[in-house]
Amino acid sequence: MSTTASAFKESATQYCHDLDHRQRIKTALTGYEGKRDENKSRFRSWEEARQVAAEIKYEVINHLDKYLEQFVKNLEVRGVKVHWACDAKEARDIITGIARDSNVRSIIKSKSMTSEEIHLNEDLEKHGFDVFESDLGEFIVQLRNEPPYHLVFPSMHLTRYQISDTFVEKLGSERVTEPEDLTMIARRIMRQKFCTADMGVSGVNFGVAETGMISITENEGNARLTTSLPRIHVALMGIEKMLRRMDDLAIFLPMLATAGAGQALTCYNTLYGAAKLPGEVDGPEQFHVVLLDNGRTAVLADAEQRDSLHCIRCGACLNVCPIFRNVGGHSYGTVYGGPIGSVITPHLRGLQDWKHLSFASSLCGACSQACPVKIDLAHHLLQNRRNAVKEKPPFFEGLLWSGFSFVMQRPSMYRLGAKVGGVLQPLHDYVKGTALDPARGWTESRETPQIAKQTFTEWWKENRQ
Ligand code: SF4
């Protein structure tokens, strides 16, 4: 078992036994489900909307070269500096280089899972920059030195009492437990940071090729401050985030809000297309867009799994996944947890090291049903399992199946096997689940089928008359 697989197993086992944690996640997601279903009914037909969204993404991803070219051309016309990064290191180097060249000291960030993917904070801090998360959930997990728990709700695993403890310990604040009071503590600190930051780093929800603009959607207003107060704005965007036209936002913005947070529409939806233009008072002096590949073109080349690039990171598949709800977001050991994480992580970080995530699924298909862009996640998990075996067939499993096939094709051996199995079974029942049981990984949590005392052939011989 790889280290990532054993770490997953250990962490998942711990979280599964933590009933308080499971209850917290259940309570949080029950509230979300109610609001999501209410807001789905505002669509004339949610199913038709899913179909339209899936078709738009299909068109964009299958002509990504064309749309990216149009997007970049339109941005550059307005003086935006566009950078291409083929992997995480290149993206980090580009952003660190911008900061260094512009004498930046303090950096403020709005929520960006892509920046988590490339481990941007650690790198910027290593280079001596002061980095500060401005999304409330991200701010909390940053203080706790933890990765985000969920694509959309980074600190959903914490109670307000735990957040209060964190604020007392890390900020020396007074002990308050009302959410409004806790928010005011964070707000006071953030205001200071917004006013003093030299550079703002944001993610991108959608890139619009037709106009060369990025769309950022958020609930706290912190992304607007991150992108407009500092003198430099850097937007980090996965190349798959493209849309064709402004019109596409009319369906994607409400769908993202409903599937992601159970809202009709997110509070702030902003389009950015340039730095401060001559004569304008507000806005950054420099606007950079960093386009990140980091394994995405390899997924694009895979016709079978290309549609996993349709993902809009709404997190809906995590919310309905029975595995995620029990093992929690931190067990996955990777930035993208839940079903979509289990599908794309093997592409981004290596199939053999991350193939175990394909088995972190009951294959119930709830994720595929929930996905607003109709990615058949359950099917992709099966494909990952198949690809992992094809790429590196497991030796003992292969041996086992060859033996099984050999015996099944020879009736006399099958009969002998059944006899020997019948004799050994009481012995196995005796040691089942103990250290002496060679199959305890399997039998610990499963009933072993009993071998019948009499085979059907024997019964038939006896009773045929
Ligand atoms: S796979 Fe679908 S449901 Fe899951 S995060 Fe992406 S868009 Fe949302």
Side-chain angles (χ1 to χ4, degrees):
M1 202 186 279
S2 69
T3 19
T4 47
S6 52
F8 173 78
K9 196 176 170 199
E10 196 179 315
S11 172
T13 308
Q14 264 176 25
Y15 273 108
C16 283
H17 286 97
D18 183 345
L19 298 185
D20 285 345
H21 165 264
R22 283 166 58 179
Q23 187 56 44
R24 276 203 300 283
I25 302 306
K26 193 174 162 203
T27 308
L29 291 176
T30 305
Y32 152 84
E33 280 163 1
K35 289 194 285 169
R36 178 202 60 195
D37 293 344
E38 188 187 315
N39 283 308
K40 268 186 187 176
S41 64
R42 290 172 188 256
F43 285 75
R44 194 176 57 197
S45 161
W46 175 255
E47 283 312 312
E48 272 178 38
R50 285 178 79 213
Q51 186 59 34
V52 171
E55 284 171 15
I56 292 172
K57 283 306 276 186
Y58 181 88
E59 156 69 18
V60 177
I61 295 299
N62 279 281
H63 300 97
L64 194 56
D65 52 342
K66 177 181 104 181
Y67 288 109
L68 276 170
E69 206 177 305
Q70 189 186 4
F71 176 65
V72 171
K73 202 168 130 214
N74 285 331
L75 277 169
E76 286 178 341
V77 161
R78 289 191 297 269
V80 179
K81 181 90 182 93
V82 180
H83 311 257
W84 296 86
C86 67
D87 57 21
K89 181 176 180 318
E90 197 173 351
R92 289 194 302 262
D93 289 349
I94 290 168
I95 298 172
T96 314
I98 296 169
R100 204 184 298 118
D101 295 348
S102 308
N103 296 322
V104 164
R105 275 173 305 137
S106 167
I107 298 170
I108 191 140
K109 285 182 67 216
S110 63
K111 186 167 169 20
S112 160
M113 291 309 284
T114 316
S115 76
E116 298 287 340
E117 177 187 327
I118 64 166
H119 301 286
L120 182 61
N121 286 16
E122 294 91 316
D123 194 61
L124 288 170
E125 280 165 357
K126 202 176 80 193
H127 284 88
F129 300 106
D130 181 18
V131 186
F132 190 79
E133 292 286 349
S134 66
D135 171 272
L136 183 56
E138 292 279 349
F139 170 69
I140 293 164
V141 289
Q142 187 188 27
L143 284 178
R144 293 171 63 89
N145 221 359
E146 283 176 2
Y149 182 90
H150 183 285
L151 296 183
V152 178
F153 313 118
S155 59
M156 73 181 291
H157 58 303
L158 299 170
T159 63
R160 55 190 160 130
Y161 303 102
Q162 287 171 306
I163 295 168
S164 174
D165 289 346
T166 305
F167 282 10
V168 171
E169 186 197 333
K170 304 282 180 172
L171 304 174
S173 67
E174 53 183 322
R175 182 168 295 284
V176 289
T177 51
E178 286 306 312
E180 291 78 8
D181 296 334
L182 289 164
T183 308
M184 286 314 289
I185 292 174
R187 191 171 188 264
R188 274 195 293 274
I189 294 169
M190 280 179 201
R191 287 277 148 174
Q192 289 266 310
K193 301 283 180 186
F194 280 125
C195 295
T196 52
D198 304 299
M199 183 163 120
V201 176
S202 74
V204 173
N205 290 100
F206 304 105
V208 183
E210 177 189 45
T211 55
M213 288 177 144
I214 60 163
S215 166
I216 299 181
T217 180
E218 45 141 355
N219 275 315
E220 296 168 22
N222 64 303
R224 282 189 176 177
L225 294 173
T226 300
T227 52
S228 53
L229 287 182
R231 56 190 166 86
I232 304 161
H233 172 199
V234 178
L236 176 63
M237 172 177 159
I239 53 171
E240 82 287 9
K241 295 282 178 78
M242 290 304 308
L243 291 179
R244 307 163 306 175
R245 298 188 283 272
M246 289 287 270
D247 283 1
D248 296 340
L249 290 174
I251 191 160
F252 276 93
L253 291 180
M255 280 198 104
L256 176 59
T258 301
Q263 291 175 286
L265 201 59
T266 317
C267 296
Y268 301 95
N269 293 288
T270 316
L271 284 156
Y272 303 85
K276 180 163 63 178
L277 296 173
E280 286 183 345
V281 187
D282 298 316
E285 291 155 18
Q286 296 176 36
F287 179 25
H288 300 258
V289 174
V290 181
L291 290 167
L292 177 71
D293 179 344
N294 204 28
R296 286 159 174 83
T297 44
V299 184
L300 190 64
D302 178 351
E304 210 172 49
Q305 299 213 335
R306 184 177 297 160
D307 70 346
S308 59
L309 293 175
H310 295 189
C311 177
I312 56 171
R313 304 281 188 266
C314 70
C317 55
L318 282 66
N319 302 341
V320 297
C321 175
I323 307 300
F324 177 86
R325 292 168 78 118
N326 283 290
V327 307
H330 286 156
S331 293
Y332 290 84
T334 169
V335 179
Y336 303 115
I340 184 62
S342 301
V343 168
I344 61 173
T345 304
H347 286 283
L348 303 180
R349 301 181 66 180
L351 181 57
Q352 291 308 323
D353 280 343
W354 296 91
K355 64 182 178 190
H356 58 280
L357 294 184
S358 315
F359 296 88
S361 167
S362 65
L363 297 179
C364 65
C367 49
S368 307
Q369 288 297 316
C371 178
V373 285
K374 296 188 86 167
I375 303 172
D376 192 351
L377 294 152
H379 196 198
H380 287 327
L381 290 172
L382 280 174
Q383 287 165 342
N384 277 357
R385 292 182 190 185
R386 180 206 57 201
N387 293 346
V389 171
K390 254 195 192 167
E391 191 179 282
K392 193 176 169 195
F395 178 71
F396 284 111
E397 211 175 305
L399 204 64
L400 195 71
W401 287 114
S402 305
F404 180 73
S405 157
F406 184 81
V407 171
M408 291 303 280
Q409 290 175 64
R410 291 164 181 80
S412 56
M413 291 208 71
Y414 176 79
R415 280 195 292 275
L416 179 69
K419 283 269 177 259
V420 174
V423 172
L424 291 180
Q425 187 147 47
L427 187 64
H428 179 252
D429 287 347
Y430 188 68
V431 296
K432 189 178 154 203
T434 69
L436 295 173
D437 180 0
R440 77 175 179 285
W442 177 261
T443 56
E444 249 168 7
S445 55
R446 295 172 183 87
E447 286 303 320
T448 326
Q450 294 295 310
I451 297 176
K453 296 221 170 346
Q454 187 180 37
T455 64
F456 175 75
T457 316
E458 288 163 352
W459 179 89
W460 183 250
K461 269 188 193 155
E462 218 176 280
N463 293 286
R464 64 189 303 183
Q465 297 306 326

